[in-house]
Amino acid sequence: MPMEYIELCQKASELRKKGLYADALACYEELTFGFAGLCTSWDYWGHAYCLLKLNKWREAETFCRSYREKEEPFQPIDNVLAWSLYYQYIKGAEADDTKLLTGYAEEVLALCRKEDKYSPYTATVFQVLEALSRKFPYPAETILQWAEQLDAGLLDENTVEVNRLDGKKMELASRREQYYMILTRALYECARYEECAEKCDEALSHLTAFHYDNDVWFRRRKALCLFYMGNTTEAIELMRGVFARKKDWFVRFELGEMLINSGKKDEGASLLASAALERGDPEKKLKLYAALARWFDNNGKHETAMAHYTLIWQLRVAQGWKEDEEIRSRLENEKVDLSTIPSADNLIQKLFPQWEELANSNREKMQGVIQKLLPNGKAGFIVTVDGKTYYFELRNFKGRREEASPGRRVKFFLEDGYDARKQRSVKNAVQVMPEKNC
């Protein structure tokens, strides 16, 4: 074997290991073109690898494809080809042309081994899942097919720390945690409730750290699955734990429906009304408004029920959505002139007092004095005559901001909450009203 070839191989390898890829590439080019008959698969890999590291992805792709046409398969070369495809066509891809994206992704997966940590196999699947998740409507079946290309046991559970725009550090969820969130959502959307509940349990038992309160969201998803499987009692117990920590309108709505279904109609209806009062886009609350309409209708408040159906109609019109024939029929039967219906904002404003009355109908009413406000100005504590203290958020204060000061006598209602610092369930004050407004 010529000494010139041996020396050139050593030089190319040393330069590559030092990260001097441009100089190394020049040596590899001389090797693969001048000593083609002597070069090993590793020499060709070194050439392709340097192209990849220099971000010459198209050249790397062409070089690897040329090698594969002439030589026996070599996994390191296949990995470089896969990475070149990943950087060109997959990383950061939008959801506009998922057919093109998934086509390249399928080629990448065919080139790689799932268990090979040096390949872009896992990164490719996650890129496809992220792109598909941005599509509307949510393509659950397709997402599930791609999620099933992964193996939870092979996914990294290490977290990644990044800098936020404000300069603070933020820890991101691990690949394994992301996988379970994507998989369980897809299973739930596909109505595969038993499998979804099992995977939620698997995530809760196998993951050692959770981000963005994902432990709560796994429990919520499991509770919904149990409910749809007919296990209402266990579903309610689990969802109460979720509600103690999360006050989102949809959590209130879901727990409320479960309670109504189990016969606890007053408590359930109170939660439905509180969901209507809670922050959230009205156009996303159509099912909630329909549930409230049914409740008011069943309790002899037909006019209020019709106001909810009218609200649903207006929200659908505002969004340009397809007409709901059932709603149209209800309104026409009541001789409602669809051309003169008040705006959705006006309807919500008129319904607000009735929602508040229903929401508070199943809550314990209390009296007390604002003890102190926290330094952040967003929350505080109320003390009652028997010395008990209750946390409240300023957004739940039903008076002028300047009235929320220490010493102010107030009336309020109690609602289940969660003390994150002490990690236990508590009662919090809501609908806090200065005495003079009561």
Side-chain angles (χ1 to χ4, degrees), residues 27-40:
C27 294
Y28 280 119
E29 286 176 339
E30 189 175 343
L31 279 171
T32 55
F33 294 123
F35 298 93
L38 297 174
C39 284
T40 67

Side-chain angles (χ1 to χ4, degrees), residues 322-339:
K322 183 181 177 181
E323 283 188 6
D324 186 315
E325 292 300 326
E326 182 184 347
I327 300 293
R328 172 183 276 278
S329 177
R330 285 181 180 274
L331 297 178
E332 288 180 344
N333 288 340
E334 295 293 321
K335 309 301 181 187
V336 175
D337 185 351
L338 299 180
S339 64

Side-chain angles (χ1 to χ4, degrees), residues 27-310:
C27 294
Y28 280 119
E29 286 176 339
E30 189 175 343
L31 279 171
T32 55
F33 294 123
F35 298 93
L38 297 174
C39 284
T40 67
S41 296
W42 284 108
D43 294 328
Y44 286 104
W45 169 81
H47 186 150
Y49 182 78
C50 288
L51 288 170
L52 184 71
K53 299 300 286 186
L54 291 168
N55 297 340
K56 296 182 177 183
W57 303 319
R58 182 63 60 81
E59 291 179 48
E61 178 190 352
T62 302
F63 184 85
C64 291
R65 290 194 187 282
S66 175
Y67 173 88
R68 296 179 85 246
E69 288 175 0
K70 302 172 185 176
E71 306 291 341
E72 291 294 316
F74 185 56
Q75 190 59 52
I77 290 280
D78 288 349
N79 282 354
V80 173
L81 174 56
W83 279 113
S84 69
L85 296 174
Y86 174 81
Y87 287 122
Q88 286 183 89
Y89 311 113
I90 297 171
K91 185 180 181 181
E94 298 296 329
D96 300 336
D97 191 354
T98 51
K99 187 175 181 180
L100 181 65
L101 169 64
T102 55
Y104 281 114
E106 286 169 357
E107 183 177 3
V108 168
L109 266 58
L111 287 165
C112 303
R113 294 197 302 267
K114 184 187 300 189
E115 64 276 8
D116 187 351
K117 64 180 182 179
Y118 297 109
S119 81
Y121 185 102
T122 299
T124 295
V125 175
F126 273 102
Q127 284 290 323
V128 172
L129 291 172
E130 288 171 16
L132 290 172
S133 295
R134 294 193 294 269
K135 290 182 73 67
F136 182 84
Y138 182 77
E141 290 283 1
T142 305
I143 287 176
L144 190 55
Q145 291 168 9
W146 279 93
E148 289 174 341
Q149 299 297 317
L150 297 169
D151 182 339
L154 296 174
L155 296 177
D156 194 352
E157 201 180 349
N158 294 324
T159 57
V160 178
E161 203 172 65
V162 297
N163 291 318
R164 302 192 317 190
L165 292 176
D166 60 6
K168 295 181 179 179
K169 293 189 179 298
M170 177 181 177
E171 191 174 88
L172 303 180
S174 67
R175 285 294 201 197
R176 189 177 298 182
E177 185 178 354
Q178 293 174 49
Y179 161 78
Y180 277 118
M181 283 302 292
I182 293 168
L183 179 66
T184 54
R185 181 185 175 184
L187 286 168
Y188 175 77
E189 296 290 347
C190 290
R192 291 165 59 173
Y193 300 128
E194 187 173 357
E195 293 173 75
C196 180
E198 289 174 356
K199 289 299 179 182
C200 287
D201 280 338
E202 190 175 302
L204 290 166
S205 62
H206 289 184
L207 294 173
T208 56
F210 296 93
H211 301 75
Y212 335 121
D213 293 324
N214 280 340
D215 56 329
V216 181
W217 301 127
F218 282 127
R219 290 185 175 91
R220 169 187 172 241
R221 197 161 283 161
K222 180 184 176 182
L224 290 169
C225 290
L226 292 172
F227 179 62
Y228 289 121
M229 290 162 62
N231 192 343
T232 305
T233 301
E234 188 178 350
I236 289 174
E237 182 181 355
L238 197 54
M239 190 61 89
R240 284 193 188 280
V242 173
F243 177 59
R245 294 180 61 181
K246 291 296 177 182
K247 302 302 181 183
D248 304 80
W249 73 266
F250 51 86
V251 174
R252 295 172 182 270
F253 174 38
E254 291 157 356
L255 178 55
E257 285 212 306
M258 290 179 185
L259 290 166
I260 290 172
N261 183 270
S262 71
K264 298 178 181 178
K265 299 185 183 298
D266 291 341
E267 185 183 0
S270 174
L271 278 167
L272 296 187
S274 72
L277 293 168
E278 191 63 48
R279 292 174 295 185
D281 297 329
E283 65 272 14
K284 295 179 180 178
K285 296 183 177 183
L286 301 190
K287 291 183 179 179
L288 166 63
Y289 297 142
L292 280 166
R294 290 190 297 272
W295 189 90
F296 280 111
D297 215 4
N298 293 335
N299 285 271
K301 297 185 178 182
H302 184 67
E303 187 177 337
T304 304
M306 291 310 302
H308 283 82
Y309 289 125
T310 305

